[in-house]
Amino acid sequence: MKRALNFNAGPAALPQAVLEKAQKEWLNYLDSGMAVMELSHRSAEYEQIHDSADRLLRRLMQIPDDYEVLFLQGGASLQFTMVPMNLLRNDETAYYIMTGSWSEKALSEARKIGSAASLASGKEGMYKNIPSIEASAPDDASYVHLTSNNTIFGTQWQTFPDLFNAPLVADMSSDILSKPINVNQFGLIYAGAQKNLGPSGVTVVIIKKDLLARSDERLPTMLSYQTHAKNRSLYNTPPTLSIYLLSLVLEWVESIGGLPAIEKINSEKAEILYDIIDESNGFYRGHADQGSRSLMNVTFKLETEAATGAFLEQAKEAGFIGLNGHRSIGGCRASLYNAVTIEQVNELAKFMKTFRKNY
Amino acid sequence: MKRALNFNAGPAALPQAVLEKAQKEWLNYLDSGMAVMELSHRSAEYEQIHDSADRLLRRLMQIPDDYEVLFLQGGASLQFTMVPMNLLRNDETAYYIMTGSWSEKALSEARKIGSAASLASGKEGMYKNIPSIEASAPDDASYVHLTSNNTIFGTQWQTFPDLFNAPLVADMSSDILSKPINVNQFGLIYAGAQKNLGPSGVTVVIIKKDLLARSDERLPTMLSYQTHAKNRSLYNTPPTLSIYLLSLVLEWVESIGGLPAIEKINSEKAEILYDIIDESNGFYRGHADQGSRSLMNVTFKLETEAATGAFLEQAKEAGFIGLNGHRSIGGCRASLYNAVTIEQVNELAKFMKTFRKNY
């Protein structure tokens, strides 16, 4: 069976091995006579899936024991609200480092909850680069928030600041699990699953346990991290099917060598496309500054809008999916999440070369 | 392939035809070379799925045009918060009709948001029956809330009150789509999908459009019904796979004759078990009063705890899944959601007769 050349920005390609395993077990999970989504979330079979997702994520990301792993719903967008609801204390301010549209949304939601401000912003430079920040947050900082990878502008933090006086909170929706990181640098990490983790519909939150004390007991039960931490994400019915698929993706990541191996492949994939851009004498123009380039989303345009349009049209005809840039900035974008293969990236590279020669 | 005798209270059995169709399309949806969950939520293919779920639900439930249908996340438990956040106005009170644990949780969450009170309660009678209420709500009522079916106690509203001075809000998580209802009687209906609609991870909200004006613009974006209504539930990435499976379940309901046909089968299924209980001379003892019995969850116990224990143990050995009552009240519970077949219910009936004879 021919797999699509899927460069979607998310929901995105998933590993074929994962899809095949899920299909095989679909009607009769572990000989139970039931599909995974027909299992009670209190059954031993489901508990095992749930625990396996937790254990695998901890092992792959080397999450220390003083962190909780939560499986929630609502996407990163709901975390934009839950983070300040739970972490932002009176008389303190939440500081946001602005690297694109998602940071803007996160800050705007935080302002609905309490005092929140921009600490640094790349907006004037059209979000082409990641601003550098001081190692020390302002004295009244409740936390400092960043977006680790910016799908729309194609930028990515290369190293994270080592804050010593406020917890660092990161929206890692679009690059979690794409490379090893040091979880100890963060107070809280959150990520919608639909890029590197699995299907949309489950959100991973990794939170340092000492931060759970900040959740006020007057918070709505479902919006308190404490609720979910106390109940191992089983306070109410979790999205069982999505968590099952997440667990299969995690198994797959482990099977191919874990995050060091994934990082190597991801670097190789991105390099193939950035090389084409850099060697094209301005035919392809990358959006992000070189030092801020994302390994996950390669954003570029051609010299004229007409050329960009022709490129996207012919790419579509050639079977490439999802190469249109986000509607807010236009241009082109190739998303290279974990499940996109080197072979697929090579096909795109070949297409880009041929298009340039013929245009 | 042998299907399990699945009487789970939710997540619960799904129609075999739905599972088989999903399995067939799993790796290559409409020849796209992608699984449904790999499609962009902005793609034409996914838009069609999304619209189809909306259209089918409207047709099956005869939802009038002055209602919005929303596909959200977080389960009914998040609606316990979103309903008062959006609908409860200053200087008004939200009234709750208490018919069990879920009503209690809903009221308790509403109290975190504003003024909320119990209007009537079946608690003193161990929630064995649905209280009767006046056609008129108190003058300061922002809305009146009820739980249409109570999974734990096995009771169900047989007819709904026709309120004329306050919107009626119903948590229909456990009996939506089980019979025809008159949507016009309600201001808002919400339901987690994992009983009659599909997998866990998607929540349906049906809201009368004029109530959307109550959502304050200062609400967190993701917690405002207006956000989701304006964006056709595509403000952020929806749980695409769950909505796809929901659309298949809706197709299946239509294919077997819609809600009138479903109601007939559901009545027949419940009657089989209630007859066994009623004809057992007290060997099996139903929890719910006859006039409040649920067609979805048949709750009963045996004369002694030992007998109940023996029944559950032998039932489990015989392959019946999910017959344990909720841990809060014990006993037995057979959940007979739409996908449970008459043949499966007959097998349970046969087992109950045999057990009685042999015990």
Side-chain angles (χ1 to χ4, degrees):
Chain A
M1 193 215 50
K2 175 98 179 128
R3 294 273 291 156
L5 295 160
N6 185 350
F7 294 91
N8 274 331
L14 287 170
Q16 188 168 349
V18 165
L19 295 173
E20 282 168 357
K21 183 163 185 199
Q23 187 183 39
K24 208 173 145 199
E25 299 182 329
W26 185 248
L27 274 170
N28 190 9
Y29 180 70
L30 296 188
D31 218 21
S32 63
M34 292 180 275
V36 166
M37 59 188 158
E38 297 180 299
L39 300 171
S40 165
H41 59 300
R42 310 283 177 204
S43 66
E45 291 98 331
Y46 177 71
E47 285 267 347
Q48 209 160 34
I49 291 169
H50 198 84
D51 290 349
S52 156
D54 176 276
R55 197 175 50 248
L56 284 163
L57 191 67
R58 284 181 180 279
R59 199 154 67 203
L60 286 165
M61 292 183 67
Q62 298 185 26
I63 301 171
D65 286 344
D66 56 338
Y67 286 75
E68 290 280 353
V69 172
L70 311 177
F71 302 120
L72 307 182
Q73 296 184 58
S77 295
L78 186 57
Q79 293 311 306
F80 296 165
T81 294
M82 283 180 69
V83 165
M85 263 189 175
N86 284 270
L87 300 191
L88 179 48
R89 294 183 290 207
N90 287 339
D91 308 322
E92 290 187 341
T93 296
Y95 288 98
Y96 283 69
I97 305 171
M98 311 305 288
T99 55
S101 316
W102 299 111
S103 315
E104 286 174 12
K105 286 194 178 188
L107 172 57
S108 147
E109 292 303 316
R111 284 189 166 135
K112 289 183 167 182
I113 307 297
S115 169
S118 162
L119 183 65
S121 174
K123 189 167 188 172
E124 289 206 355
M126 288 175 66
Y127 290 128
K128 287 184 179 180
N129 59 55
I130 300 290
S132 56
I133 70 153
E134 302 292 324
S136 168
D139 284 342
D140 68 338
S142 225
Y143 60 86
V144 174
H145 179 282
L146 62 79
T147 315
S148 59
N149 180 75
N150 303 280
T151 50
I152 296 177
F153 299 97
T155 61
Q156 187 175 23
W157 288 76
Q158 314 295 314
T159 58
F160 297 107
D162 250 322
L163 293 178
F164 48 85
N165 63 334
L168 189 58
V169 174
D171 174 0
M172 290 199 184
S173 295
S174 53
D175 67 354
I176 192 168
L177 221 64
S178 68
K179 59 181 180 183
I181 58 157
N182 178 5
V183 173
N184 283 303
Q185 282 184 278
F186 300 90
L188 190 150
I189 291 167
Y190 63 92
Q194 64 269 19
K195 281 96 157 69
N196 279 329
L197 295 177
S200 62
V202 57
T203 311
V204 167
V205 172
I206 302 163
I207 180 172
K208 203 162 180 197
K209 285 180 182 168
D210 61 12
L211 289 176
L212 290 169
R214 292 197 190 183
S215 303
D216 193 294
E217 62 183 15
R218 288 165 299 183
L219 279 180
T221 306
M222 282 291 289
L223 300 174
S224 165
Y225 291 132
Q226 252 186 42
T227 302
H228 302 291
K230 273 185 198 159
N231 293 280
R232 299 185 304 118
S233 309
L234 286 160
Y235 170 73
N236 71 331
T237 314
T240 55
L241 176 59
S242 301
I243 293 171
Y244 160 71
L245 291 163
L246 165 61
S247 78
L248 296 187
V249 170
L250 297 171
E251 274 176 18
W252 171 80
V253 171
E254 195 164 74
S255 76
I256 64 167
L259 300 193
I262 284 276
E263 181 181 35
K264 196 166 161 287
I265 302 168
N266 284 335
S267 302
E268 210 174 316
K269 279 152 50 184
E271 210 176 293
I272 292 169
L273 296 191
Y274 285 125
D275 280 353
I276 300 254
I277 290 170
D278 293 340
E279 290 160 6
S280 74
N281 285 320
F283 186 84
Y284 296 114
R285 298 158 181 221
H287 179 83
D289 285 351
Q290 294 224 6
S292 297
R293 279 177 167 174
S294 167
L295 299 188
M296 297 283 101
N297 313 93
V298 177
T299 51
F300 59 96
K301 59 183 179 183
L302 281 71
E303 197 177 351
T304 62
E305 283 211 19
T308 300
F311 175 82
L312 288 171
E313 204 183 306
Q314 289 184 33
K316 197 178 168 187
E317 274 165 29
F320 294 94
I321 308 281
L323 288 181
N324 284 67
H326 190 268
R327 58 195 184 286
S328 60
I329 68 159
C332 314
R333 167 173 57 178
S335 297
L336 310 179
Y337 300 122
N338 290 351
V340 175
T341 64
I342 291 196
E343 292 70 31
Q344 291 173 322
V345 176
N346 278 328
E347 285 204 48
L348 176 57
K350 199 172 134 195
F351 174 82
M352 287 173 76
K353 280 187 207 158
T354 310
F355 181 85
R356 185 185 156 203
K357 205 167 68 187
N358 297 342
Y359 189 74
Chain B
M1 193 213 51
K2 175 96 180 128
R3 294 272 291 154
L5 295 160
N6 185 349
F7 293 91
N8 274 330
L14 286 170
Q16 189 168 350
V18 165
L19 295 173
E20 283 168 355
K21 185 166 183 197
Q23 188 183 40
K24 209 174 145 198
E25 299 181 329
W26 186 248
L27 274 171
N28 190 9
Y29 179 70
L30 296 189
D31 218 20
S32 63
M34 292 179 274
V36 166
M37 59 189 158
E38 296 180 298
L39 299 172
S40 164
H41 59 300
R42 309 284 178 203
S43 67
E45 291 98 330
Y46 177 70
E47 285 267 347
Q48 209 161 34
I49 291 168
H50 198 82
D51 291 348
S52 157
D54 176 276
R55 196 174 51 248
L56 283 163
L57 191 67
R58 285 182 179 278
R59 199 154 68 204
L60 285 166
M61 292 183 68
Q62 299 185 25
I63 300 171
D65 287 343
D66 56 338
Y67 286 76
E68 291 281 354
V69 172
L70 310 177
F71 302 121
L72 307 182
Q73 297 184 58
S77 295
L78 186 56
Q79 293 311 307
F80 296 166
T81 293
M82 282 180 71
V83 165
M85 263 191 176
N86 283 270
L87 301 191
L88 180 48
R89 294 185 289 209
N90 287 338
D91 309 322
E92 290 187 343
T93 296
Y95 288 98
Y96 283 70
I97 305 170
M98 311 305 288
T99 55
S101 317
W102 299 110
S103 316
E104 285 173 12
K105 285 193 179 190
L107 173 58
S108 148
E109 292 303 315
R111 283 187 167 138
K112 289 183 168 183
I113 308 295
S115 169
S118 162
L119 184 65
S121 173
K123 188 166 189 173
E124 289 208 355
M126 288 174 67
Y127 289 128
K128 286 184 179 181
N129 59 54
I130 301 289
S132 56
I133 71 153
E134 301 293 324
S136 168
D139 284 342
D140 68 338
S142 224
Y143 61 85
V144 174
H145 179 282
L146 61 81
T147 315
S148 60
N149 181 76
N150 302 282
T151 49
I152 295 177
F153 298 97
T155 62
Q156 186 174 23
W157 288 75
Q158 314 295 312
T159 57
F160 296 108
D162 249 322
L163 292 179
F164 49 84
N165 63 336
L168 190 58
V169 173
D171 175 358
M172 290 199 184
S173 294
S174 54
D175 68 353
I176 193 168
L177 221 64
S178 69
K179 59 179 180 183
I181 59 155
N182 178 5
V183 173
N184 283 303
Q185 283 183 276
F186 300 90
L188 190 151
I189 292 167
Y190 63 91
Q194 64 269 19
K195 282 91 156 74
N196 280 329
L197 294 178
S200 63
V202 57
T203 312
V204 168
V205 172
I206 302 164
I207 181 171
K208 204 165 180 195
K209 285 180 182 167
D210 60 12
L211 289 177
L212 291 170
R214 292 196 190 183
S215 303
D216 192 300
E217 61 183 17
R218 288 165 299 183
L219 279 179
T221 306
M222 281 293 289
L223 300 174
S224 165
Y225 291 131
Q226 254 186 41
T227 303
H228 302 290
K230 275 186 198 159
N231 294 280
R232 300 184 306 118
S233 310
L234 286 160
Y235 170 74
N236 70 331
T237 314
T240 55
L241 176 60
S242 300
I243 293 172
Y244 160 71
L245 291 163
L246 164 61
S247 79
L248 295 187
V249 170
L250 296 172
E251 274 176 18
W252 171 79
V253 171
E254 194 164 74
S255 77
I256 64 167
L259 300 193
I262 284 276
E263 181 181 35
K264 196 166 162 285
I265 303 168
N266 283 337
S267 302
E268 211 174 315
K269 278 151 52 182
E271 210 176 292
I272 293 170
L273 296 192
Y274 285 124
D275 279 355
I276 301 254
I277 290 170
D278 292 341
E279 290 161 6
S280 75
N281 285 321
F283 186 83
Y284 296 114
R285 298 156 182 224
H287 179 82
D289 285 352
Q290 294 225 5
S292 297
R293 279 176 168 176
S294 167
L295 299 189
M296 298 283 100
N297 313 94
V298 177
T299 52
F300 59 96
K301 58 183 181 183
L302 281 72
E303 196 176 353
T304 62
E305 282 210 20
T308 300
F311 175 82
L312 288 171
E313 203 182 307
Q314 289 185 33
K316 195 177 169 189
E317 274 166 28
F320 294 94
I321 309 282
L323 288 180
N324 283 66
H326 189 269
R327 58 196 185 284
S328 60
I329 69 161
C332 315
R333 167 173 57 177
S335 296
L336 311 178
Y337 300 121
N338 290 351
V340 175
T341 64
I342 291 195
E343 292 71 30
Q344 291 173 322
V345 176
N346 278 328
E347 285 204 51
L348 177 56
K350 198 172 133 193
F351 174 82
M352 287 172 77
K353 280 188 208 160
T354 310
F355 181 85
R356 184 185 155 202
K357 205 167 68 186
N358 296 341
Y359 189 74

